[in-house]
């Protein structure tokens, strides 16, 4: 899949109480071509933003060190796992937050709809990696609290 060239990584680490304890965020240098236009537009990233970004190898090493072997969750694991694989990060996936939300609500919901339903504040630009990771974490915490 040529569309799956990562241009940004963002993640949050939650403590046992569901609070954000740490974050990771990095743009990724890419040699851009027409295949990147859609991703840049959707994510509100300009080509100039990537010029001084670290390479995939550097970001992969930094992100792997940050993960420290922890289990990962994502709103859409099927989507995010492709990017982690392309980046060269071996992530251990615990669960898919989207599938948990769908099971809870009985219907398919995107990130924005799930955030609205569970009362999660959307701060930051939509589709930016760290902003979306914060929202996904908030949904995961809301689902956990609901099931407790």
């Amino acid at each position: 899949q040529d569309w799956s060239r990562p241009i940004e990584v963002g993640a949050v680490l939650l403590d046992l109480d569901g609070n954000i304890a740490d974050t990771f965020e990095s743009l990724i240098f890419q040699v851009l071509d027409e295949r990147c236009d859609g991703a840049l537009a959707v994510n509100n990233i300009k080509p100039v933003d990537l010029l001084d970004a670290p390479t995939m190898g550097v970001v992969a090493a930094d992100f792997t060190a940050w993960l420290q072997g922890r289990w990962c969750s994502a709103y859409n694991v099927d989507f995010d796992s492709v990017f982690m694989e392309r980046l060269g990060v071996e992530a251990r996936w615990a669960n898919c937050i989207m599938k948990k939300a769908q099971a809870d609500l009985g219907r398919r919901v995107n990130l924005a709809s799930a955030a609205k339903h569970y009362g999660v504040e959307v701060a930051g630009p939509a589709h930016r990696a760290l902003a979306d990771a914060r929202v996904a974490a908030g949904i995961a915490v809301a689902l956990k609290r609901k099931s407790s």
Side-chain angles (χ1 to χ4, degrees), residues 50-109:
L50 302 179
L51 289 177
D52 293 326
T55 64
M56 283 182 40
V58 169
V59 175
D62 290 349
F63 190 54
T64 298
W66 183 83
L67 281 174
Q68 298 179 7
R70 296 179 186 106
W71 288 93
C72 299
S73 294
Y75 190 73
N76 184 346
V77 169
D78 292 339
F79 181 82
D80 289 329
S81 63
V82 171
F83 286 92
M84 289 297 101
E85 184 178 312
R86 287 282 172 105
L87 186 58
V89 172
E90 292 185 31
R92 301 182 324 165
W93 296 101
N95 61 46
C96 179
I97 299 164
M98 180 177 67
K99 289 179 183 173
K100 289 185 174 287
Q102 287 174 189
D104 181 52
L105 299 173
R107 59 185 167 84
R108 185 173 171 84
V109 289

